[in-house]
Amino acid sequence: MMLNKSGWKLERSFDYGTMGPYLIEWMSRMEEKEIEWDKNMESEIVFFIMGMIAFLPKRLMEKKLSLGIMTMIASPDV
C-alpha cells in the first residue's frame, strides 16, 4: 500500500533479505549492550560464532519463517 501510494508498483516480494537474520539479531544485542562500534570487536567473536551455531536451525528455515526481514522489488508506476 505504501509503495502504491508513493507512485511505485510492487514487482516481487520476499520474506527474506540479503543481510543474514542472525547478524541483525546479534547487532541488536550489541546495541542493547551499548557497544562501541568503532572499537576492536575481537572480544565478541567467540560469542558471535557460538550464537551463529545456535541460530542455525532457524537459519535453515529462513524462507519459511518470518525473521523480520523483507526484500521488495518495485518500479515506478507510470
Side-chain angles (χ1 to χ4, degrees):
M1 285 178 21
M2 289 173 50
L3 287 169
N4 290 337
K5 288 180 181 181
S6 301
W8 290 83
K9 177 183 173 189
L10 180 64
E11 301 289 337
R12 294 188 72 188
S13 175
F14 303 94
D15 291 338
Y16 54 94
T18 56
M19 183 181 271
Y22 176 69
L23 182 58
I24 293 172
E25 180 179 305
W26 179 80
M27 290 172 72
S28 295
R29 281 189 275 135
M30 293 298 104
E31 281 293 316
E32 289 173 356
K33 286 174 61 174
E34 298 180 358
I35 195 155
E36 296 175 36
W37 291 104
D38 59 345
K39 76 168 191 150
N40 183 328
M41 302 293 279
E42 196 172 296
S43 63
E44 301 294 335
I45 192 68
V46 171
F47 299 108
F48 177 82
I49 292 170
M50 287 173 32
M52 188 183 297
I53 292 167
F55 194 83
L56 187 58
K58 285 184 184 177
R59 178 76 173 152
L60 295 173
M61 298 294 293
E62 177 182 6
K63 293 183 181 179
K64 294 183 189 259
L65 299 173
S66 176
L67 299 176
I69 301 170
M70 181 175 271
T71 301
M72 301 177 103
I73 301 171
S75 61
D77 192 13
V78 273

